[in-house]
Amino acid sequence: MRNFIPSWIRVPAVFFIIAGIVEYTIDSGDKPAFIEKPMVLLFLILVLLIIIAIEAIVSSINNVLYQSLDEAAKARYNAQKSKTPKLISWTSEAYQKLLGSKPMEEEHEIVLDHNYDGIKELDNNLPPWWIYGFYASIVFAAIYLVRFHVFNGENQYDELESDLVQAKIDIEEYKKNAKDLVDFNTVELLTETSDLKAGQKLFEMNCVACHKADGGGGIGPNLTDKHWILGGGINNVFKTVSEGGRDGKGMIAWKQSLKPAEIAQVASYLLQFQGTTPAEPKAPEGDIWIDKNAPTEDVVTESVEVQDIKED
């Protein structure tokens, strides 16, 4: 007579399942983990109940088989059982207590008087694990009722709303730090040497044929003056490089070939040509572009005058 699940599998499995249940019933952050992931806890409890149910069935079958043995076979079985290592014996005894059933040799004490064609019935009590689980469910139900129906605790809809708000915040933060998610609205002028060198490499590979190496212009416009066809500044230049120039006669859209981070690098590099003197500058094209965000000369002059007054 053997257990359906060997002890070396059953005992560690029960231990880890109970440890998992305990882990999911303690606090983890703002709320217990079993509230955030109730299905995990239910799964662990279900597996534990299945193991206990299997062992209970196997134990009952073993009891029937034991009763059918003769006295010599029972003696041999009891002698073999006494040789079981203490640890395994202790776990088996604890497991037997958890089931709440009497040992096979003591079952004669709880045999009922009536029988049906030789089949007798045992007057077993409910297993302790079932009783404790029932009491635990009552306590859980009381806590649940008080928290969610008396004190109007945060429900799943509230959690969803807060998670969506946090998700939007996380997405915006991610977009700020993710270079390849940059667009012409969020792009900023890059000043790091590594970015400018990468932009120079891209410019020399893709743009020199039309704008020349010094930005003086050829087929494309001059990049060194203040005139811009589609607007200057990092935002407009990024958009022009990404989406292309004027329909039918402008630059192609480089967004098919370059990543947003690469477009930001090349746009930042070509803006370095502003104010330089190329060898053969092309005639200005477009309109003079003034950065509205840059301080005007009047503001600069006024600031200097105020500083002079303070110094006097």
Side-chain angles (χ1 to χ4, degrees), residues 115-182:
N115 65 73
Y116 301 94
D117 296 331
I119 300 174
K120 297 183 179 181
E121 183 180 359
L122 299 178
D123 187 17
N124 281 315
N125 295 322
L126 287 172
W129 66 265
W130 191 96
I131 297 176
Y132 297 148
F134 178 69
Y135 291 154
S137 66
I138 295 176
V139 174
F140 176 83
I143 296 174
Y144 186 93
L145 177 67
V146 171
R147 177 174 179 179
F148 293 103
H149 294 279
V150 176
F151 294 105
N152 295 322
E154 185 180 29
N155 55 35
Q156 292 179 333
Y157 295 103
D158 298 327
E159 292 178 5
L160 176 61
E161 290 296 329
S162 60
D163 288 344
L164 290 175
V165 171
Q166 185 60 44
K168 290 180 180 179
I169 295 174
D170 294 340
I171 290 173
E172 293 302 321
E173 187 65 26
Y174 175 74
K175 286 182 177 180
K176 291 179 182 178
N177 300 322
K179 292 184 177 180
D180 281 334
L181 289 179
V182 68

Side-chain angles (χ1 to χ4, degrees), residues 185 187 232-236 289-296 299:
N185 289 317
V187 66
I234 186 62
N235 300 88
N236 291 319
W289 185 83
I290 299 175
D291 188 357
K292 297 180 180 179
N293 296 324
T296 61
V299 175

Side-chain angles (χ1 to χ4, degrees), residues 295-303:
T296 61
E297 293 183 1
D298 294 339
V299 175
V300 175
T301 303
E302 183 179 351
S303 299

Side-chain angles (χ1 to χ4, degrees), residues 103-122:
M104 290 180 288
E105 55 271 14
E106 299 179 9
E107 286 185 346
H108 63 278
E109 300 176 0
I110 57 173
V111 176
L112 296 176
D113 295 336
H114 56 268
N115 65 73
Y116 301 94
D117 296 331
I119 300 174
K120 297 183 179 181
E121 183 180 359
L122 299 178

Side-chain angles (χ1 to χ4, degrees), residues 10 17 24 60 69 149 157 186 209 225 248 250 258 262 273 280:
R10 180 181 71 249
I17 290 173
Y24 272 90
S60 300
L69 298 175
H149 294 279
Y157 295 103
T186 60
D225 56 33
L258 302 177
E262 294 174 326
F273 291 126
E280 298 177 353

